[in-house]
């Protein structure tokens, strides 16, 4: 929850304006919302939830590893 709350502030510290920081933080969360809905529909359709949960966790894990290993912040 902290990442969602502070992502506009973090983006703002990368020398973006406040408006641009707000707009840049919307797209990842909108994509996550759409992905969550799609995964929920397909997991209910196939009546198996475990592989979908593990798949989402692996995608998150890869994202956090990339975030941790990045050397340069910003564009």
């Amino acid at each position: 929850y902290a990442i969602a709350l502070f992502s506009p502030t973090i983006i703002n510290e990368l020398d973006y304006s406040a408006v641009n920081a707000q707009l840049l933080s919307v797209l990842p969360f909108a994509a996550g919302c759409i992905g969550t809905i799609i995964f929920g529909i397909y997991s209910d359709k196939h009546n198996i939830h475990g592989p979908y949960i593990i798949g989402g966790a692996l995608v998150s894990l890869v994202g956090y590893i990339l975030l941790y290993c990045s050397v340069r912040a910003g564009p």
Side-chain angles (χ1 to χ4, degrees):
Y1 185 74
I3 292 174
L5 186 63
F6 290 110
S7 64
T9 304
I10 295 168
I11 294 171
N12 190 16
E13 292 295 321
L14 296 172
D15 291 331
Y16 287 99
S17 69
V19 173
N20 284 338
Q22 291 288 337
L23 291 174
L24 287 172
S25 67
V26 169
L27 187 60
F29 294 111
C33 176
I34 292 169
T36 301
I37 292 169
I38 290 171
F39 274 102
I41 290 170
Y42 279 109
S43 69
D44 283 344
K45 181 179 178 181
H46 296 130
N47 201 20
I48 51 172
H49 301 283
Y52 289 97
I53 293 170
I54 292 170
L58 289 175
V59 169
S60 297
L61 181 66
V62 168
Y64 280 120
I65 289 171
L66 290 174
L67 181 65
Y68 181 74
C69 294
S70 68
V71 177
R72 187 175 150 227

